[in-house]
mmCIF file of all heavy atoms in Angstrom:
data_model
loop_
_atom_site.group_PDB
_atom_site.id
_atom_site.type_symbol
_atom_site.label_atom_id
_atom_site.label_comp_id
_atom_site.label_asym_id
_atom_site.label_seq_id
_atom_site.Cartn_x
_atom_site.Cartn_y
_atom_site.Cartn_z
ATOM 1 N N LEU A 48 -138.542 -36.951 -37.161
ATOM 2 C CA LEU A 48 -139.385 -38.131 -37.322
ATOM 3 C C LEU A 48 -138.657 -39.188 -38.146
ATOM 4 O O LEU A 48 -138.641 -40.368 -37.800
ATOM 5 C CB LEU A 48 -140.700 -37.731 -38.006
ATOM 6 C CG LEU A 48 -141.607 -38.924 -38.247
ATOM 7 C CD1 LEU A 48 -142.763 -38.877 -37.282
ATOM 8 C CD2 LEU A 48 -142.088 -39.007 -39.659
ATOM 9 N N ASP A 54 -142.140 -39.978 -32.466
ATOM 10 C CA ASP A 54 -143.047 -41.026 -32.925
ATOM 11 C C ASP A 54 -144.192 -40.416 -33.704
ATOM 12 O O ASP A 54 -144.713 -39.371 -33.323
ATOM 13 C CB ASP A 54 -143.616 -41.784 -31.719
ATOM 14 C CG ASP A 54 -142.639 -42.822 -31.226
ATOM 15 O OD1 ASP A 54 -141.812 -43.276 -32.048
ATOM 16 O OD2 ASP A 54 -142.690 -43.170 -30.034
ATOM 17 N N THR A 68 -141.668 -47.320 -39.156
ATOM 18 C CA THR A 68 -142.415 -46.414 -38.286
ATOM 19 C C THR A 68 -142.037 -46.564 -36.820
ATOM 20 O O THR A 68 -141.929 -45.583 -36.101
ATOM 21 C CB THR A 68 -143.930 -46.643 -38.459
ATOM 22 O OG1 THR A 68 -144.183 -46.862 -39.848
ATOM 23 C CG2 THR A 68 -144.721 -45.442 -37.975
ATOM 24 N N VAL A 142 -115.913 -32.866 -38.910
ATOM 25 C CA VAL A 142 -115.803 -34.076 -38.079
ATOM 26 C C VAL A 142 -117.180 -34.714 -37.945
ATOM 27 O O VAL A 142 -117.336 -35.927 -38.092
ATOM 28 C CB VAL A 142 -115.238 -33.753 -36.676
ATOM 29 C CG1 VAL A 142 -115.215 -35.000 -35.811
ATOM 30 C CG2 VAL A 142 -113.847 -33.169 -36.787
ATOM 31 N N TYR A 189 -132.040 -32.667 -46.126
ATOM 32 C CA TYR A 189 -131.319 -31.498 -45.636
ATOM 33 C C TYR A 189 -132.337 -30.458 -45.193
ATOM 34 O O TYR A 189 -133.201 -30.070 -45.968
ATOM 35 C CB TYR A 189 -130.485 -30.967 -46.797
ATOM 36 C CG TYR A 189 -129.489 -29.895 -46.451
ATOM 37 C CD1 TYR A 189 -128.146 -30.207 -46.294
ATOM 38 C CD2 TYR A 189 -129.882 -28.570 -46.319
ATOM 39 C CE1 TYR A 189 -127.221 -29.224 -45.998
ATOM 40 C CE2 TYR A 189 -128.956 -27.583 -46.018
ATOM 41 C CZ TYR A 189 -127.629 -27.913 -45.867
ATOM 42 O OH TYR A 189 -126.722 -26.945 -45.571
ATOM 43 N N ILE A 200 -127.723 -26.602 -53.399
ATOM 44 C CA ILE A 200 -127.171 -27.959 -53.252
ATOM 45 C C ILE A 200 -128.176 -29.070 -53.542
ATOM 46 O O ILE A 200 -127.800 -30.225 -53.597
ATOM 47 C CB ILE A 200 -126.596 -28.192 -51.839
ATOM 48 C CG1 ILE A 200 -127.686 -28.106 -50.783
ATOM 49 C CG2 ILE A 200 -125.488 -27.217 -51.529
ATOM 50 C CD1 ILE A 200 -127.199 -28.589 -49.434
ATOM 51 N N LYS A 226 -145.728 -22.087 -56.902
ATOM 52 C CA LYS A 226 -147.098 -22.561 -57.098
ATOM 53 C C LYS A 226 -148.096 -21.788 -56.242
ATOM 54 O O LYS A 226 -149.243 -21.630 -56.619
ATOM 55 C CB LYS A 226 -147.179 -24.054 -56.722
ATOM 56 C CG LYS A 226 -146.890 -24.975 -57.874
ATOM 57 C CD LYS A 226 -148.112 -25.853 -58.149
ATOM 58 C CE LYS A 226 -148.054 -26.493 -59.508
ATOM 59 N NZ LYS A 226 -146.999 -27.509 -59.582
ATOM 60 N N PHE A 239 -147.884 -8.771 -55.365
ATOM 61 C CA PHE A 239 -149.006 -9.643 -55.722
ATOM 62 C C PHE A 239 -150.183 -8.809 -56.233
ATOM 63 O O PHE A 239 -150.441 -7.717 -55.725
ATOM 64 C CB PHE A 239 -149.453 -10.467 -54.506
ATOM 65 C CG PHE A 239 -148.446 -11.505 -54.131
ATOM 66 C CD1 PHE A 239 -147.409 -11.194 -53.259
ATOM 67 C CD2 PHE A 239 -148.497 -12.775 -54.669
ATOM 68 C CE1 PHE A 239 -146.446 -12.126 -52.932
ATOM 69 C CE2 PHE A 239 -147.545 -13.729 -54.339
ATOM 70 C CZ PHE A 239 -146.518 -13.408 -53.478
ATOM 71 N N MET A 273 -156.031 -17.001 -59.054
ATOM 72 C CA MET A 273 -156.359 -15.664 -59.539
ATOM 73 C C MET A 273 -155.324 -14.641 -59.087
ATOM 74 O O MET A 273 -155.516 -13.452 -59.210
ATOM 75 C CB MET A 273 -157.743 -15.244 -59.023
ATOM 76 C CG MET A 273 -158.875 -16.119 -59.507
ATOM 77 S SD MET A 273 -159.077 -16.026 -61.297
ATOM 78 C CE MET A 273 -160.032 -14.515 -61.417
ATOM 79 N N LEU A 283 -140.641 -3.460 -64.292
ATOM 80 C CA LEU A 283 -139.933 -2.341 -64.914
ATOM 81 C C LEU A 283 -140.561 -1.031 -64.465
ATOM 82 O O LEU A 283 -141.777 -0.903 -64.395
ATOM 83 C CB LEU A 283 -139.996 -2.449 -66.442
ATOM 84 C CG LEU A 283 -139.394 -3.737 -67.022
ATOM 85 C CD1 LEU A 283 -139.585 -3.771 -68.531
ATOM 86 C CD2 LEU A 283 -137.916 -3.840 -66.666
ATOM 87 N N ASN A 295 -150.892 -4.210 -68.915
ATOM 88 C CA ASN A 295 -149.768 -4.532 -68.016
ATOM 89 C C ASN A 295 -149.043 -3.299 -67.483
ATOM 90 O O ASN A 295 -147.934 -3.395 -66.994
ATOM 91 C CB ASN A 295 -148.737 -5.444 -68.702
ATOM 92 C CG ASN A 295 -149.256 -6.861 -68.852
ATOM 93 O OD1 ASN A 295 -150.466 -7.050 -69.028
ATOM 94 N ND2 ASN A 295 -148.385 -7.838 -68.768
ATOM 95 N N LYS A 302 -143.175 6.365 -53.122
ATOM 96 C CA LYS A 302 -143.435 6.680 -51.712
ATOM 97 C C LYS A 302 -142.154 6.665 -50.893
ATOM 98 O O LYS A 302 -141.874 7.577 -50.129
ATOM 99 C CB LYS A 302 -144.403 5.637 -51.138
ATOM 100 C CG LYS A 302 -145.709 6.252 -50.653
ATOM 101 C CD LYS A 302 -146.630 5.178 -50.125
ATOM 102 C CE LYS A 302 -146.610 5.135 -48.611
ATOM 103 N NZ LYS A 302 -147.464 4.046 -48.109
ATOM 104 N N ASN A 334 -139.086 11.221 -54.210
ATOM 105 C CA ASN A 334 -140.316 10.883 -53.503
ATOM 106 C C ASN A 334 -141.460 11.746 -54.030
ATOM 107 O O ASN A 334 -141.290 12.942 -54.216
ATOM 108 C CB ASN A 334 -140.156 11.128 -52.000
ATOM 109 C CG ASN A 334 -139.367 10.009 -51.336
ATOM 110 O OD1 ASN A 334 -139.017 9.025 -52.002
ATOM 111 N ND2 ASN A 334 -139.079 10.156 -50.060
ATOM 112 N N GLU A 345 -144.125 -12.311 -69.433
ATOM 113 C CA GLU A 345 -143.419 -13.582 -69.185
ATOM 114 C C GLU A 345 -142.902 -13.674 -67.756
ATOM 115 O O GLU A 345 -142.477 -14.730 -67.309
ATOM 116 C CB GLU A 345 -142.287 -13.775 -70.205
ATOM 117 C CG GLU A 345 -141.090 -12.854 -70.068
ATOM 118 C CD GLU A 345 -141.306 -11.462 -70.670
ATOM 119 O OE1 GLU A 345 -142.459 -11.162 -71.066
ATOM 120 O OE2 GLU A 345 -140.332 -10.671 -70.708
#
Side-chain angles (χ1 to χ4, degrees):
Chain A
L48 178 107
D54 279 334
T68 320
V142 177
Y189 190 101
I200 64 169
K226 271 241 163 69
F239 290 88
M273 297 296 278
L283 301 177
N295 287 32
K302 241 179 101 183
N334 282 356
E345 70 280 8

